[in-house]
Amino acid sequence: QKEVEQNSGPLSVPEGAIASLNCTYSDRVSQSFFWYRQYSGKSPELIMSIYSNGDKEDGRFTAQLNKASQYVSLLIRDSQPSDSATYLCAVNGNAGNMLTFGGGTRLMVKP
Amino acid sequence: DTGVSQDPRHKITKRGQNVTFRCDPISEHNRLYWYRQTLGQGPEFLTYFQNEAQLEKSRLLSDRFSAERPKGSFSTLEIQRTEQGDSAMYLCASSSNRGTGWEKLFFGSGTQLSVL
């Protein structure tokens, strides 16, 4: 079992819709959770971080964390074609000093 | 430009050759990470430094891989006797364990390695 799992997609949504991206992790002692966005041919960039159970909103992005279920999600409201990218979930693993990434979910927002 | 810089952007080599990549982190960042990414996969941790000390290395990393950060500034990653399976994008990232926190990684553009 991979430490951080994501559906590879592609997830296709129409412009203006809500895109929902999901991630599960295996290490119960994980404390910090991140979403990175990676455009094709580019390097990952951090878009959201979340540390406690519940929701965290930043503009059109909302991160949701449920530690009991070992589940993290990212919602993108009013999806735009420019949101089309691969979204990587990253978790602070039990080693404590490096991030473990999932395989990423490719999102396609169609005009 | 104050971002993470990696050199070269692309490297093509023949199997069995040695290659070396360089990473210049954001100047005030004391942590530097190397990750490897293959097509369709997320970045895979290789090793990280805090200042000049190499504090962690992936257990999956072959002995053919070595990294240095001699003065706590730039870092090099060397792969000896390259194999076709080493073909990947090698990403460097830096962060600071002061202020914004070490977990917010800033990635460079990567070095794409192709082993023929």
Side-chain angles (χ1 to χ4, degrees), chain A residues 2 32 34 36 38 41-46 49 51 88 92 95-104, chain B residues 9 31 33 35 37 40-45 48 56 89 91 100 102-110:
Chain A
K2 289 185 179 179
S32 310
F34 304 85
Y36 282 76
Q38 186 172 28
K42 301 295 185 181
S43 55
E45 58 177 328
L46 178 67
S49 61
Y51 302 92
L88 299 162
N92 174 359
N97 287 300
M98 52 84 165
L99 296 184
T100 300
F101 286 82
Chain B
R9 291 294 304 276
R31 290 197 176 184
Y33 298 79
Y35 280 81
Q37 188 176 26
Q41 302 298 313
E44 174 195 14
F45 171 76
Y48 97 95
E56 194 160 346
M89 175 72 80
L91 293 167
T100 56
W102 70 265
E103 295 163 325
K104 296 184 179 179
L105 303 185
F106 294 81
F107 283 88
S109 298

Side-chain angles (χ1 to χ4, degrees), chain B residues 13-17 62 64 79-87 90 113-116:
Chain B
T13 191
K14 293 183 179 179
R15 187 177 54 185
Q17 297 295 305
S62 162
R64 297 182 296 103
I79 309 174
Q80 296 182 326
R81 305 181 302 282
T82 52
E83 301 173 357
Q84 289 183 326
D86 297 331
S87 296
Y90 289 82
L113 173 66
S114 298
V115 182
L116 305 178

Side-chain angles (χ1 to χ4, degrees), chain A residues 4-20:
Chain A
V4 182
E5 296 212 45
Q6 298 180 254
N7 187 318
S8 61
L11 172 66
S12 183
V13 300
E15 183 175 356
I18 296 175
S20 178

Side-chain angles (χ1 to χ4, degrees), chain B residues 14-107:
Chain B
K14 293 183 179 179
R15 187 177 54 185
Q17 297 295 305
N18 299 345
V19 293
T20 300
F21 310 141
R22 176 180 169 123
C23 172
D24 288 88
I26 294 172
S27 59
E28 61 268 27
H29 285 182
N30 57 343
R31 290 197 176 184
L32 186 149
Y33 298 79
W34 286 100
Y35 280 81
R36 174 173 62 190
Q37 188 176 26
T38 53
L39 197 62
Q41 302 298 313
E44 174 195 14
F45 171 76
L46 297 180
T47 188
Y48 97 95
F49 295 82
Q50 179 157 317
N51 300 314
E52 66 275 10
Q54 186 175 18
L55 296 186
E56 194 160 346
K57 186 175 177 180
S58 170
R59 286 169 290 181
L60 302 176
L61 198 60
S62 162
D63 289 344
R64 297 182 296 103
F65 287 71
S66 63
E68 294 182 343
R69 193 183 183 197
K71 296 183 179 179
S73 56
F74 73 92
S75 174
T76 58
L77 177 68
E78 180 183 20
I79 309 174
Q80 296 182 326
R81 305 181 302 282
T82 52
E83 301 173 357
Q84 289 183 326
D86 297 331
S87 296
M89 175 72 80
Y90 289 82
L91 293 167
C92 177
S94 70
S95 70
S96 172
N97 66 345
R98 301 181 288 266
T100 56
W102 70 265
E103 295 163 325
K104 296 184 179 179
L105 303 185
F106 294 81
F107 283 88

Side-chain angles (χ1 to χ4, degrees), chain A residues 39-102:
Chain A
Y39 291 112
S40 181
K42 301 295 185 181
S43 55
E45 58 177 328
L46 178 67
I47 54 172
M48 287 287 289
S49 61
I50 187 166
Y51 302 92
S52 53
N53 282 329
D55 294 0
K56 179 182 177 183
E57 186 174 318
D58 184 1
R60 294 186 298 113
F61 299 98
T62 298
Q64 298 175 319
L65 174 60
N66 184 326
K67 289 187 179 181
S69 300
Q70 295 175 244
Y71 179 89
V72 192
S73 65
L74 179 70
L75 301 178
I76 306 175
R77 289 182 298 282
D78 188 24
S79 296
Q80 301 297 311
S82 58
D83 295 325
S84 297
T86 295
Y87 290 80
L88 299 162
C89 174
V91 175
N92 174 359
N94 58 7
N97 287 300
M98 52 84 165
L99 296 184
T100 300
F101 286 82

